[in-house]
Structures are given as structure tokens and as C-alpha cells.
Amino acid sequence: MYRRIRDCREDADLKQKQMAIQLNCSQQTYSNYELGHRIIPPEILIALAKIYNTSVDYLFDLTDVKEPYPRK
């Protein structure tokens, strides 16, 4: 999962600092999410899926389908 989150960020040409600002956390906290040193809270996972226009399942590496599910 952590590798996929980093890959999504890099594919979007974003820096960790930019993601940290969007997620309202420090760059160090975001770095720890990507490295797997810190558990990612559900609300952050949902925010990441929205930012990267994908599903949480994709971030968890449960599917290779990058497109998000239809939203309510």
C-alpha cells in the first residue's frame, strides 16, 4: 500500500510537502505514511483516494483498477 501511495503522488508530480498541506499534516507525518512507519487514518485514506481520483482499494493494492468506484 505504501509504495502505491508514493507512486500516485509521484505520478501527480506532487511533493510530500504539497500533500501534507492538502491533508493538513506535517511533511514528516506524510513521509511516515509513505514509509509505513505510521498508520494512515481512514479519513486520510479517503482524502488520498479523492485527491488521486482512485479508490481506497487501489491504494491498498487490492485491485489494479485505478478508476474510482461511482460515488453517491
Side-chain angles (χ1 to χ4, degrees):
M1 167 177 78
Y2 307 106
R3 171 75 183 182
R4 196 159 264 186
I5 290 171
R6 187 182 83 202
D7 288 346
C8 285
R9 178 182 56 79
E10 290 174 348
D11 289 346
D13 292 324
L14 296 169
K15 303 283 186 203
Q16 285 184 349
K17 182 69 175 171
Q18 293 169 302
M19 288 305 304
I21 290 168
Q22 288 190 50
L23 298 171
N24 197 30
C25 66
S26 71
Q27 185 273 327
Q28 184 62 48
T29 296
Y30 184 79
S31 175
N32 285 330
Y33 291 155
E34 282 192 3
L35 293 171
H37 295 163
R38 188 174 184 140
I39 295 172
I40 304 173
E43 61 272 10
I44 297 294
L45 283 169
I46 292 167
L48 288 170
K50 288 180 180 179
I51 291 166
Y52 297 136
N53 194 34
T54 193
S55 67
V56 173
D57 283 353
Y58 180 79
L59 296 178
F60 271 113
D61 205 15
L62 296 173
T63 181
D64 289 329
V65 178
K66 195 168 185 176
E67 291 76 31
Y69 301 119
R71 302 200 190 273
K72 291 182 180 179

